[in-house]
Amino acid sequence: MSKMKLGVNIDHVAVLREARRVNDPEILQALFVACGSGADQITIHLREDRRHIQDVDAKNIIQNSSVPVNLECSINTNILNIVCKLRPHRATLVPEKREEVTTEGGLDVFGYEEEIRYSVEQLHDSIIPVSLFVDPTLLAMEKSRELGAEMVELHTGTFANLFAMLHSSLPYSNHSVKELELPRYELSERLEKSIEDIKNAAKHAKKIGLEVAAGHGLNYHNVHEMMKIEEIIELNIGQSIIARSVFSGLADAVKEMKRLTTRS
Ligand code: PXP
């Protein structure tokens, strides 16, 4: 089996910082802790609305990271110009909608074919390899190859949601109430199909010369399913790692403040 690379998405640390507009928690500290704890890659998303990572964060992270930085971005011209100047180790093109809570679904590689082709060329001109964040379908693999990408990142959101619905005490997002009303056997069938789709897409992508990553909604409960798919060589994970870190760190944080606020 090939080695799996873990890309740690640290956007969520910037979400917390931006909620108060202070420099706490510090994004560079998150970078150093993640790198020092085994992350093989750092993933960040420079969104058009700058709701978390800012331009200066991207610059500092790329300059200071001891591991490759995978910069996610949309196909917006202004953003692409910035990304070309930042020169990350790789750019991952993702769809972006202003009103979304997080990236919902893969890139529409058919609807925006020409725009994506142009974006890939622009990034290649700046010697930046490109990954496309796409839904796990054979047609999307074919199209990604044709558009000139070196890599695809398979969107695992559908799988993650179905997995969480079946194990209902687990966190999930983006579910529809309609799906929650489905009988368990049907949820189970859909989950199996979502895993098959990822498997088939990964196999096909590798066969036609694409590297394969996967991400979105992966967590401590469901990640083992992705580990079984040997064509997947990289996972990008954010929310669950940062969420876990709150509880693995909260006790110490409270104890330290209690110590500082105790009068003898
Ligand atoms: N990969 C891509 C392309 C993403 O857009 C995201 C979400 O920012 C992730 C991976 C990480 O997803 P999550 O935060 O659900 O682990």
Side-chain angles (χ1 to χ4, degrees), residues 9 11-12 43 45 52 72 92 94 102-103 133 153 214-218 236-240:
N9 184 319
D11 294 348
H12 309 274
T43 294
H45 184 175
H52 39 56
E72 298 174 3
T92 297
V94 301
T102 180
T103 319
F133 185 51
E153 179 171 338
H216 206 84
L218 299 179
N236 289 301
I237 308 181
Q239 175 78 26
S240 62

Side-chain angles (χ1 to χ4, degrees), residues 1 32 62 81 106 113 149 189 193 218 253:
M1 276 247 177
F32 298 138
I62 291 167
N81 289 338
E113 184 175 342
E189 274 174 18
K193 181 173 180 313
L218 299 179

Side-chain angles (χ1 to χ4, degrees), residues 8-160:
V8 178
N9 184 319
I10 57 174
D11 294 348
H12 309 274
V13 174
V15 169
L16 193 52
R17 179 195 64 189
E18 291 302 306
R20 286 293 291 269
R21 304 254 156 106
V22 288
N23 196 18
D24 188 19
E26 271 190 58
I27 198 78
L28 282 183
Q29 206 176 339
L31 168 75
F32 298 138
V33 172
C35 290
S37 308
D40 301 299
Q41 168 174 285
I42 294 296
T43 294
I44 48 173
H45 184 175
L46 186 65
R47 289 186 67 99
E48 289 166 37
D49 61 12
R50 306 298 199 281
R51 70 170 69 153
H52 39 56
I53 294 293
Q54 308 296 309
D55 300 43
V56 67
D57 296 326
K59 184 167 172 253
N60 287 338
I61 288 166
I62 291 167
Q63 273 176 3
N64 289 288
S65 182
S66 57
V67 297
V69 176
N70 170 35
L71 183 52
E72 298 174 3
C73 64
S74 72
I75 54 174
N76 172 290
T77 317
N78 292 334
I79 289 282
L80 282 170
N81 289 338
I82 295 170
V83 172
C84 287
K85 286 204 189 101
L86 285 169
R87 300 281 298 273
H89 296 84
R90 186 203 299 142
T92 297
L93 297 178
V94 301
E96 227 179 88
K97 284 189 239 123
R98 285 288 154 108
E99 64 280 10
E100 70 193 357
V101 177
T102 180
T103 319
E104 291 165 3
L107 266 179
D108 181 357
V109 279
F110 302 99
Y112 294 94
E113 184 175 342
E114 283 321 307
E115 292 87 340
I116 295 170
R117 193 190 307 281
Y118 181 76
S119 306
V120 173
E121 281 170 12
Q122 190 185 343
L123 289 161
H124 281 170
D125 285 345
S126 296
I127 337 257
I128 302 169
V130 182
S131 177
L132 301 182
F133 185 51
V134 285
D135 291 324
T137 68
L138 299 190
L139 287 177
M141 302 307 108
E142 293 282 340
K143 185 55 83 181
S144 300
R145 186 82 186 102
E146 190 199 311
L147 292 173
E150 285 80 24
M151 188 170 203
V152 282
E153 179 171 338
L154 304 179
H155 185 271
T156 52
T158 303
F159 153 74

